[in-house]
């Protein structure tokens, strides 16, 4: 009889041992248009866990590109915890369904847990208006804060030199704004750090309402503090072909001074000290878009500007 009882006791203990499963209880504590805050509580069989959030479309994309499972994505990209905690997932898209993944680790196995959550929608049917404030201006930086009104569902923004704005025109600037992949949904603040001294800029933004209707462009002028007096004039040099694809030639440029190719945000993508009146610029690694070619004299007191389109 004792042998039978011992056998069933061992069997019971073994069954309980193999039945132990790591688990993490997920509680959604707060949801906004761009954030999800969740609390995570481990059970006694859980030694740790990783948390990750994704749309179904993005998860399918990444698992397909990397030829792996969801578990591998969460294991490599998820935030790691070894105790109960609260985690806030941010930079999410409003009105979007997400899966919150939890990969729980036990002594000998892992368990994948999933919770569905949808972010709040934003915007209305009225006119989208973006307010812009520019502060903390120095010779090379400025802090730009964009605040959408309640009708705005999404918006885009950047800064552009006023000379570039005049060169390409408002319609081109609006078209570039609308195609900008850097989309925002709530108040957004960014410090631009690579601006040119003594240069007049516009901070620009445009937004859509919930019906997909674009509002008017907001344009706020500001100028960086000067380190030298710079006089701009229309370019007197030749640039071709324009539009260009893989390379562009410059002719009749000064044989001294400095040449810069900048994007519309003022970021320098190419720079060279001039030593010849003709030169060729390789554009094979330059993204499609509108750029400004600037040539300044040796003292940086005069600058010639021309538009360059790369396609």
């Amino acid at each position: 009889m004792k042998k039978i009882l011992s056998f069933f006791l061992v069997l019971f203990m073994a069954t309980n041992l193999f039945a132990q499963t790591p688990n993490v209880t997920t509680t959604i504590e707060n949801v906004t248009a761009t954030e999800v805050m969740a609390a995570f509580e481990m059970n006694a069989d859980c030694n740790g866990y990783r948390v990750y959030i994704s749309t179904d479309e993005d998860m399918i994309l990444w698992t397909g590109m990397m030829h792996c499972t969801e578990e591998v994505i969460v294991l490599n990209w998820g935030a790691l915890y070894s105790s109960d905690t609260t985690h806030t997932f941010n930079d999410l898209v409003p009105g979007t369904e997400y899966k919150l993944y939890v990969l729980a680790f036990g002594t000998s196995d892992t368990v994948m847990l999933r919770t569905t959550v949808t972010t709040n929608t934003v915007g209305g049917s009225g006119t989208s208006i973006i307010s812009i404030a520019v502060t903390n201006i120095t010779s090379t930086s400025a802090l730009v804060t964009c605040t959408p009104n309640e009708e705005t569902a999404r918006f885009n923004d950047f800064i552009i030199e006023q000379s570039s704005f005049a060169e390409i025109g408002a319609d081109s600037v609006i078209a570039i704004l609308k195609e900008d992949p850097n989309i925002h949904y709530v108040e957004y603040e960014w410090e631009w750090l690579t601006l040119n001294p003594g240069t007049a800029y516009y901070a620009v933004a445009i937004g859509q309402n919930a019906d997909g209707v674009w509002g008017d462009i907001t344009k706020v002028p500001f100028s960086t503090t000067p380190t030298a007096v710079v006089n701009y004039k229309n370019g007197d040099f030749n640039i071709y072909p324009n539009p260009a694809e893989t390379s562009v030639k410059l002719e009749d440029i000064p044989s001294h001074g400095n040449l810069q190719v900048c994007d519309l945000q003022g970021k320098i993508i190419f720079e060279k000290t001039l030593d010849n009146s003709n030169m060729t610029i390789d554009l094979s690694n330059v993204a499609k878009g509108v750029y400004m070619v600037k040539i300044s004299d040796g003292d940086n007191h005069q600058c010639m500007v021309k538009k360059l389109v790369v396609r």
Side-chain angles (χ1 to χ4, degrees):
M1 185 65 178
K2 289 183 177 179
K3 290 183 178 180
I4 295 175
L5 290 175
S6 297
F7 171 77
F8 279 107
L9 180 60
V10 171
L11 180 62
F12 175 77
M13 293 176 63
T15 302
N16 278 346
L17 177 62
F18 285 107
Q20 291 178 346
T21 303
N23 186 63
V24 176
T25 300
T26 300
T27 303
I28 304 299
E29 294 198 337
N30 188 49
V31 179
T32 70
T34 58
E35 293 185 343
V36 170
M37 184 171 67
F40 303 97
E41 184 178 355
M42 302 165 50
N43 72 352
D45 300 326
C46 184
N47 298 325
Y49 57 99
R50 287 187 181 271
V51 298
Y52 183 70
I53 198 167
S54 173
T55 62
D56 287 342
E57 293 79 7
D58 283 348
M59 182 59 78
I60 292 172
L61 172 66
W62 286 115
T63 54
M65 289 179 60
M66 300 179 67
H67 304 289
C68 65
T69 63
E70 294 178 347
E71 286 79 0
V72 172
I73 296 293
V74 178
L75 181 63
N76 284 276
W77 294 350
L80 176 63
Y81 294 103
S82 58
S83 61
D84 298 346
T85 192
T86 299
H87 183 97
T88 299
F89 303 90
N90 48 33
D91 295 327
L92 306 180
V93 179
T96 301
E97 182 178 281
Y98 286 88
K99 285 276 182 19
L100 200 164
Y101 297 86
V102 180
L103 185 62
F105 309 111
T107 301
S108 59
D109 58 356
T110 61
V111 174
M112 175 72 88
L113 307 161
R114 300 169 180 83
T115 302
T116 300
V117 60
T118 302
T119 52
N120 298 337
T121 58
V122 294
S125 298
T127 302
S128 169
I129 300 173
I130 315 299
S131 301
I132 300 177
V134 184
T135 57
N136 300 352
I137 301 172
T138 71
S139 61
T140 58
S141 65
L143 182 65
V144 178
T145 303
C146 296
T147 305
N149 68 348
E150 293 183 354
E151 307 301 322
T152 301
R154 52 165 285 178
F155 69 94
N156 305 62
D157 77 295
F158 61 71
I159 64 172
I160 179 173
E161 293 186 12
Q162 292 186 22
S163 59
S164 300
F165 191 103
E167 177 76 19
I168 68 174
D171 290 343
S172 294
V173 172
I174 292 172
I176 294 168
L177 271 171
K178 291 180 178 180
E179 295 174 1
D180 189 345
N182 298 309
I183 301 169
H184 311 296
Y185 308 96
V186 295
E187 183 175 275
Y188 179 74
E189 182 178 271
W190 183 260
E191 186 175 14
W192 298 85
L193 298 174
T194 57
L195 307 184
N196 295 321
T199 302
Y201 287 90
Y202 287 124
V204 294
I206 193 169
Q208 280 182 314
N209 66 10
D211 298 324
V213 178
W214 291 97
D216 294 329
I217 185 174
T218 301
K219 182 177 69 173
V220 174
F222 71 96
S223 296
T224 52
T225 55
T227 57
V229 177
V230 180
N231 298 315
Y232 288 92
K233 68 176 184 177
N234 291 330
D236 293 332
F237 57 95
N238 295 320
I239 179 170
Y240 71 92
N242 193 7
E245 294 183 357
T246 59
S247 65
V248 66
K249 295 182 179 180
L250 305 182
E251 292 185 346
D252 300 327
I253 58 178
S255 57
H256 67 283
N258 187 61
L259 179 142
Q260 293 179 342
V261 180
C262 307
D263 63 18
L264 296 183
Q265 287 78 42
K267 180 181 179 181
I268 300 172
I269 65 167
F270 177 84
E271 187 170 23
K272 180 178 175 60
T273 300
L274 298 177
D275 56 10
N276 196 301
S277 59
N278 300 313
M279 69 177 301
T280 299
I281 302 176
D282 181 13
L283 302 174
S284 57
N285 294 320
V286 176
K288 297 178 181 180
V290 179
Y291 299 87
M292 305 306 296
V293 179
K294 305 177 185 180
I295 296 178
S296 59
D297 64 21
D299 297 323
N300 201 33
H301 289 160
Q302 182 167 277
C303 185
M304 298 181 291
V305 180
K306 274 197 173 182
K307 179 177 70 173
L308 168 64
V309 177
V310 179
R311 65 182 182 186

